[in-house]
Amino acid sequence: MARLIIVSIVFAIITGCGAGSFNRNLSFMDSSVGLPVTDIWRENIEAVDLDMDGLPDLITPPPRRHRGEPPRIFLNRGNRWQETDAVIMPKLSFDYGWIEAGPMNDGVYPSLFINSHARSLFALRGISPLSWEDASSGLPDSFGGRSLDVGDINNDALLDVIVTMDVYKSRNKHTAVFIQTPERWMAVKDNLPPDAFGPYIRLADFNNDGLLDIAMVLSTNTVENSVYQGDGGRSWSPVTGLPPRDVSYIEVADINGDGYDDLLMIYFPPGHSLNEPAVFLGSKEGFIKLPTNFPTGNYSTITAGFIDCDNSMDLVLGVSRGIEVYLQNKGSFEHALSIETPSSPRFLKLRDMNKDGSEDIVALLPTQESGSIRVFANSFRCHGARIKNIQDGKTLKMGSLIKVEYTSNNVGTPFLRRDGKVIPLSIRLNEYGRTWVVLPFVEMGQYELVLGDTAKRINLIK
């Protein structure tokens, strides 16, 4: 009987009726057979090829009220999902929280970085498909974390982490930076305000200087600034001009394709009880708000990616009991589609899960009665490669470990090109839809970053 209930759940998908030039053939199909439907999911879910079979899988920390259990893994079998515990993982006391994947040291298998609520901060090094060892030496034994992001903060070709303490703790609320070394993790003494922390944090390069900056959702009334520009690891300069405090969700993406990362947010305008999405464009002078006409409402999440087959980044929004899809048309966003869900999504991720060149929607729905993990498959089949996170004019530092996100079903190995000369890139981790590469030390200047049949002009600096 339980199985009958699971397969009988219906998600209504309704095409948008607003004016616009988007393709009316856009649709999404619920492709969630085998995924859970009755747990209380918190924070996020990661899409990463864990068994290295060429398809992205799903991994999430245990749901709420499952303290001590390991992360849940759902393998992508094409037309269904298969939960598996046939893994080798250290017997650690995990909890719900935030999870990201990436390479550790010179490993070629996905490593996991987990910030567990009321527990600790974990780094698990991938040693083979579905096999990890504890690599948390130097990380705090008791951290009580909430959010986390990964990136090469000090540009030394090793992946670092930035984490926030749990917002419910009464003391020691803060954001912390841990630098990876070949031997252990090292806490960095920085100048971030001690009580700057919150439930969401992101690393990105908003001023396009080749150094990662911090954006966070604040859960404190004592800190005004939510974005800090980085200098390579220790000093962070506050950026002003953004809405203070009343921000409930953030994400990053280069929406206008100018090489500067932009900040996407859900925030409450002054004097409003309802919130609205907003896009703040990155620049050398600070943020510039992109004019949009999103209505106010009950938005929960925001993310960006390639929904249709053009090269413009589109927006996907979580609302009360649904998901709204907006396609970009030369800097404006036109409503294209609505997807009805049993509850409001807590987290959305766009990733090409079925190798057809378009991004699909992964949703985390949190409530106990209707909580679930859902995947909605995009109907578009797009040809050619599109690089998602690196656009023309991007500044990158030599020797850095960078993530290249893309959509395509056949790209080969990325490389640099200049004056007809091809420079191979050292790959740390390669999976479908995402690859991590180390930038070589070469002559400074402009190069093409080539992936499949597409190339992006980047500025390489020391």
Side-chain angles (χ1 to χ4, degrees):
M1 184 63 182
R3 181 174 178 80
L4 178 60
I5 293 173
I6 291 174
V7 299
S8 297
I9 291 176
V10 175
F11 292 82
I13 300 180
I14 309 163
T15 56
C17 57
S21 58
F22 57 82
N23 192 321
R24 296 286 178 172
N25 294 322
L26 173 64
S27 63
F28 286 85
M29 180 180 69
D30 185 19
S31 181
S32 308
V33 175
L35 293 176
V37 295
T38 57
D39 287 302
I40 306 177
W41 298 95
R42 296 292 300 268
E43 274 66 74
N44 82 320
I45 187 169
E46 174 68 301
V48 55
D49 188 1
L50 298 170
D51 56 0
M52 306 302 282
D53 68 347
L55 288 172
D57 307 303
L58 298 177
I59 182 169
T60 180
R64 191 181 177 192
R65 299 176 185 171
H66 288 253
R67 178 170 293 181
E69 295 182 7
R72 302 271 293 272
I73 294 174
F74 306 92
L75 299 179
N76 188 346
R77 298 309 189 199
N79 60 353
R80 61 184 175 86
W81 298 89
Q82 177 187 341
E83 183 167 10
T84 181
D85 57 5
V87 302
I88 299 175
M89 185 174 288
K91 294 186 181 302
L92 302 170
S93 184
F94 299 101
D95 201 351
Y96 70 83
W98 202 277
I99 188 168
E100 297 286 345
M104 279 196 71
N105 304 123
D106 294 325
V108 298
Y109 299 102
S111 295
L112 304 175
F113 308 90
I114 306 171
N115 197 3
S116 285
H117 169 82
R119 291 292 171 135
S120 191
L121 181 62
F122 303 106
L124 306 180
R125 182 187 291 110
I127 54 178
S128 64
L130 298 175
S131 180
W132 294 272
E133 64 182 8
D134 189 10
S136 306
S137 177
L139 297 177
D141 293 331
S142 178
F143 191 74
R146 184 68 177 273
S147 186
L148 171 148
D149 202 8
V150 296
D152 186 1
I153 293 174
N154 59 346
N155 306 101
D156 66 347
L158 294 174
L159 204 58
D160 311 308
V161 299
I162 186 164
V163 293
T164 63
M165 288 284 286
D166 186 5
V167 299
Y168 299 113
K169 285 187 174 292
S170 60
R171 294 179 293 177
N172 298 324
K173 303 173 181 177
H174 69 283
T175 295
V177 179
F178 295 93
I179 299 297
Q180 184 186 169
T181 74
E183 295 80 26
R184 58 187 284 114
W185 294 90
M186 295 180 58
V188 174
K189 186 176 182 180
D190 56 59
N191 64 336
L192 287 169
D195 50 356
F197 72 101
Y200 303 104
I201 192 164
R202 281 286 176 259
L203 290 168
D205 185 5
F206 300 113
N207 60 344
N208 199 25
D209 64 352
L211 300 169
L212 290 177
D213 311 313
I214 299 171
M216 68 180 77
V217 171
L218 294 171
S219 297
T220 174
N221 293 325
T222 61
V223 178
E224 289 287 334
N225 300 299
S226 57
V227 175
Y228 296 84
Q229 291 180 351
D231 71 344
R234 293 183 179 274
S235 180
W236 306 90
S237 304
V239 178
T240 59
L242 292 169
R245 287 197 284 280
D246 290 331
V247 177
S248 60
Y249 196 88
I250 57 169
E251 191 53 270
V252 295
D254 188 354
I255 286 291
N256 59 348
D258 64 352
Y260 293 77
D261 289 327
D262 308 316
L263 183 61
L264 320 177
M265 68 169 60
I266 306 295
Y267 81 111
F268 291 84
H272 287 255
S273 60
L274 298 176
N275 59 19
E276 68 179 51
V279 178
F280 288 84
L281 303 176
S283 74
K284 287 193 180 299
E285 290 74 34
F287 288 98
I288 304 168
K289 188 176 182 182
L290 180 70
T292 57
N293 59 350
F294 295 114
T296 57
N298 291 309
Y299 297 94
S300 58
T301 58
I302 184 170
T303 192
F306 294 126
I307 295 298
D308 55 2
C309 295
D310 64 16
N311 290 313
S312 297
M313 298 281 280
D314 308 306
L315 290 179
V316 177
L317 302 167
V319 297
S320 179
R321 294 186 175 273
I323 297 170
E324 303 291 345
V325 178
Y326 286 81
L327 300 184
Q328 183 179 173
N329 182 17
K330 298 180 180 178
S332 63
F333 296 92
E334 301 169 357
H335 184 258
L337 190 114
S338 297
I339 303 174
E340 183 180 331
T341 59
S343 58
S344 180
R346 180 179 292 274
F347 180 81
L348 294 172
K349 192 177 194 70
L350 296 184
R351 187 79 185 273
D352 184 0
M353 307 299 290
N354 55 6
K355 304 183 75 168
D356 64 358
S358 66
E359 292 202 285
D360 309 304
I361 299 175
V362 180
L364 203 64
L365 307 173
T367 60
Q368 188 167 17
E369 296 79 11
S370 53
S372 61
I373 298 171
R374 300 287 93 183
V375 174
F376 300 100
N378 193 337
S379 62
F380 278 129
R381 296 186 65 86
C382 303
H383 302 287
R386 293 176 296 169
I387 299 178
K388 184 176 177 180
N389 65 323
I390 297 176
Q391 304 299 328
D392 285 337
K394 188 69 176 175
T395 298
L396 299 168
K397 286 183 72 72
M398 300 177 200
S400 297
L401 176 68
I402 66 167
K403 175 176 59 177
V404 182
E405 295 181 297
Y406 62 90
T407 60
S408 179
N409 54 13
N410 185 20
V411 296
T413 302
F415 59 88
L416 297 182
R417 183 170 61 200
R418 182 178 182 180
D419 299 328
K421 182 181 179 182
V422 171
I423 305 169
L425 295 175
S426 173
I427 294 178
R428 288 284 171 85
L429 175 62
N430 196 19
E431 49 164 327
Y432 175 72
R434 181 168 55 192
T435 183
W436 295 79
V437 298
V438 178
L439 296 173
F441 286 93
V442 291
E443 183 180 353
M444 284 183 24
Q446 189 175 94
Y447 292 80
E448 288 182 308
L449 176 64
V450 182
L451 185 73
D453 59 0
T454 191
K456 296 295 181 181
R457 297 186 297 274
I458 64 169
N459 301 310
L460 208 53
I461 64 173
K462 291 184 178 179

